[in-house]
Amino acid sequence: MQNSSIIELFIKHPNGDVKESAPSSRGWEWSCTSRVCQQVEMEVLSLLMSTPGEPTRKSNMERRHPESGQGLTHREVPRLVGLLLTMALMNALLYLCLDQFFSSLRHSTEDPKPCPHGYFKMGQMKNCSPWLSCKELRAEVRQLKCTGEGAVKRVFLSEWKERKVALSHLTSLKMKDDFLHGLQMLKSLQSKHIVTLLGYCEEDNTLLTEYHPLGSLSNLEEILNLSKYQNVNTWQHRLQLAMDYIGIINYLHRSPLGTLVMCDSNDLPKTLSQYLLTSNFSIVANDLDALPLVNHSSGMFVKCGHRELHGDFVAPEQLWPYGEHRPFHDDLMPSYDEKIDIWKIPDVSNFLLGHIEGSDMVRFHLFDIHKACKSQIPAERPTAQDILDTYQKVFNSLGDTVTSQTREML
C-alpha cells in the first residue's frame, strides 16, 4: 500500500476509527477502536518495516522479529523521520489555529467608519443615508405591532424599505420633556455604544431606531438557553458583554456632552431594560430619557427622581440619610455624581457572567476591582475606565492561560 492509500483510509474513516487519548510528553497519542483503524495501523507498521522495491505485505517468516536485535536500516530511517515530521507539522498547525482563535477573542475587528452626524447606516447598507424626516416617516414607515411600552414611549415593530425598524411614540404629553431629552441624547451621542437613530419627527412625537430582534438585555439567559446560541454561552462571550456594558458607562461618563449619569437604573431589571442585545452579541444603550449632566467644576450634581429609593442595588448616597424618624423630603435629599453608576457595575456584571463553567474563575479575578466599586465613599470608587482596563487585563490573562494549557497539551 502506498502512502496515499494510507492517508485515504484515515480520511475515509474519521468517525469511530481513531480515538483521542490523553496528551503525553510526546504529544497527542491515538488508539484504534475499530477493525478498519487497526488495519491501517498494520499497514503503517508494514510500510515502516519494508524496504524500497519490496512488497509491503510479507509473510510472518519474512517479517523482522522485534526481538531479533536488528535496528532500522538506512533505508527505513527516512520513512520514520518523514512520519515524525508529518506529526510535528500537524501539531504545529493545530497550535497556530488555536493561537489565532484566542487572539481573535482578545482583539475585535475594527469598527467600520461611522456615518457623519445626521446620517445613519444599518445592516447591509453600504452607504450612509440622512435621518428620515417627518414626511419620510409618515410615507415610508409601516407600523406592524406594539412590542413594548414604558413611562415615556410606546414602541412598535415597523418596516421601512423591507427592513425591520423600531418606531417609538410618545405615550403622554406630560412626558414630552423626557421624550425630547431622550431624542436629543440620541442625536448627540450616536456611536457604537448607542442604538442607531434612523429619523425623528418632533411634530408627531415619534422617533425611529434600528430594530434588534433579541430585545433587551434582560432576555440574556433565556436567549443563551436556546440550542442555537449554545456556542456563545461561554465565559469569554459573557465577559465581553460585561466589558460592553462598562464601555457604555465609560462613554457616558466621558461623552461629548460631558459627564452623564444613567439615572433610570434603580434596580437590576430596570437597568437591564435600558440596553439592547444585538444580533452579533454586543450591547447598545437604548433608553436615554434620564441622562442628567454632572459638572464637578461648577458644583452641579444630580438626583435620580424625586422619590425615596430603597434597597442595596442603588448606591448608599442615593438613600435617605436621615433615618426613619424623619420623613423623606426631596428638597432635603443630597445630590450625588456619576459614581452611583460605578456602584452598580458588580451587580450587572454578576448577572451577565451567569453561572456557567469558568464564570466563577472570572469573578475571582475581578474580586478586588468589584470590592473597590462598592466603597461606601464615592470618591474612592474607581472610574469606569479603570474598571474597563482591569476587565481587559483579566480577559487577556485568562485567555493566555487557556492558550498556554493548550500548548502544553500539544
Side-chain angles (χ1 to χ4, degrees):
M1 178 179 291
Q2 300 299 318
N3 292 357
S4 59
S5 59
I6 294 176
I7 295 173
E8 287 173 2
L9 272 174
F10 273 104
I11 293 175
K12 290 178 181 177
H13 303 279
N15 297 322
D17 296 339
V18 180
K19 181 178 180 182
E20 182 180 314
S21 67
S24 71
S25 59
R26 294 169 295 174
W28 283 97
E29 294 181 345
W30 309 87
S31 60
C32 293
T33 60
S34 73
R35 297 178 62 183
V36 174
C37 178
Q38 291 168 0
Q39 178 184 356
V40 174
E41 188 179 59
M42 292 298 299
E43 294 291 347
V44 173
L45 290 174
S46 298
L47 178 64
L48 290 175
M49 299 297 292
S50 65
T51 57
E54 294 180 332
T56 301
R57 296 185 179 273
K58 296 184 178 181
S59 66
N60 290 336
M61 295 295 295
E62 290 174 314
R63 287 177 182 162
R64 191 178 290 107
H65 195 279
E67 296 178 359
S68 63
Q70 295 181 1
L72 295 174
T73 68
H74 70 280
R75 294 182 178 181
E76 296 167 347
V77 170
R79 287 188 173 84
L80 180 60
V81 172
L83 182 60
L84 292 175
L85 288 176
T86 301
M87 294 173 63
L89 179 60
M90 292 173 64
N91 279 349
L93 289 173
L94 181 58
Y95 163 78
L96 290 174
C97 290
L98 288 169
D99 194 55
Q100 179 67 24
F101 169 74
F102 287 109
S103 295
S104 66
L105 289 176
R106 293 192 297 269
H107 305 290
S108 59
T109 56
E110 295 183 2
D111 294 323
K113 185 177 180 180
C115 294
H117 182 72
Y119 289 75
F120 72 91
K121 182 169 60 175
M122 65 172 181
Q124 302 301 316
M125 292 176 60
K126 295 182 178 180
N127 301 314
C128 296
S129 296
W131 287 337
L132 303 182
S133 64
C134 289
K135 180 180 179 181
E136 291 167 318
L137 288 175
R138 293 165 186 160
E140 300 176 9
V141 177
R142 184 166 66 95
Q143 189 171 291
L144 300 178
K145 65 178 181 178
C146 181
T147 58
E149 182 175 350
V152 179
K153 298 187 296 289
R154 185 180 295 112
V155 184
F156 292 86
L157 172 63
S158 303
E159 195 173 59
W160 173 72
K161 293 186 176 180
E162 300 182 350
R163 293 182 174 91
K164 295 293 189 294
V165 291
L167 181 65
S168 298
H169 292 272
L170 175 66
T171 55
S172 170
L173 290 177
K174 295 186 302 182
M175 308 302 295
K176 186 165 184 175
D177 288 343
D178 289 350
F179 178 85
L180 293 178
H181 174 78
L183 174 58
Q184 183 59 44
M185 293 297 103
L186 277 176
K187 292 162 62 178
S188 302
L189 299 175
Q190 285 296 287
S191 70
K192 67 177 183 178
H193 301 292
I194 308 297
V195 68
T196 302
L197 178 64
L198 311 180
Y200 62 93
C201 180
E202 292 188 26
E203 296 175 18
D204 297 341
N205 296 313
T206 59
L207 62 88
L208 193 70
T209 55
E210 184 174 6
Y211 174 68
H212 293 284
L214 296 182
S216 81
L217 196 54
S218 57
N219 299 328
L220 179 64
E221 289 301 328
E222 180 182 348
I223 292 167
L224 290 179
N225 283 332
L226 298 176
S227 58
K228 65 178 179 179
Y229 294 118
Q230 286 299 301
N231 64 315
V232 293
N233 191 16
T234 64
W235 68 260
Q236 291 95 335
H237 285 94
R238 285 176 171 270
L239 181 55
Q240 186 61 61
L241 285 176
M243 292 168 63
D244 286 348
Y245 166 72
I246 300 168
I248 294 172
I249 298 298
N250 186 49
Y251 176 69
L252 295 178
H253 289 182
R254 306 169 69 177
S255 82
L257 302 177
T259 302
L260 299 171
V261 180
M262 179 59 84
C263 258
D264 219 352
S265 56
N266 294 332
D267 56 56
L268 181 59
K270 183 63 173 177
T271 301
L272 297 174
S273 71
Q274 308 302 300
Y275 303 90
L276 295 174
L277 185 62
T278 70
S279 297
N280 63 351
F281 272 81
S282 59
I283 301 174
V284 292
N286 179 53
D287 195 336
L288 308 180
D289 298 336
L291 282 181
L293 183 66
V294 166
N295 191 323
H296 288 271
S297 60
S298 64
M300 183 171 67
F301 299 100
V302 304
K303 286 191 288 187
C304 294
H306 304 286
R307 296 179 298 174
E308 184 177 3
L309 301 177
H310 302 276
D312 56 7
F313 183 80
V314 296
E317 60 269 28
Q318 292 185 268
L319 302 175
W320 178 243
Y322 301 115
E324 296 180 357
H325 65 280
R326 190 171 185 178
F328 175 83
H329 198 288
D330 185 47
D331 292 339
L332 300 178
M333 181 67 197
S335 56
Y336 32 82
D337 62 12
E338 75 279 4
K339 290 302 180 76
I340 66 169
D341 290 335
I342 302 300
W343 173 274
K344 301 165 186 174
I345 284 177
D347 298 296
V348 178
S349 179
N350 185 58
F351 168 81
L352 296 174
L353 289 174
H355 298 282
I356 62 167
E357 183 179 356
S359 61
D360 286 340
M361 170 186 63
V362 175
R363 288 185 180 90
F364 174 78
H365 286 275
L366 296 174
F367 178 82
D368 289 339
I369 192 67
H370 284 174
K371 182 179 179 181
C373 292
K374 293 294 187 178
S375 173
Q376 295 289 318
I377 303 174
E380 293 182 356
R381 296 171 201 156
T383 65
Q385 184 64 60
D386 293 335
I387 303 169
L388 190 59
D389 290 342
T390 300
Y391 270 59
Q392 186 66 60
K393 289 177 183 177
V394 169
F395 188 95
N396 293 344
S397 173
L398 294 178
D400 289 340
T401 300
V402 174
T403 305
S404 177
Q405 291 173 348
T406 305
R407 291 171 181 169
E408 292 176 2
M409 293 168 66
L410 294 176

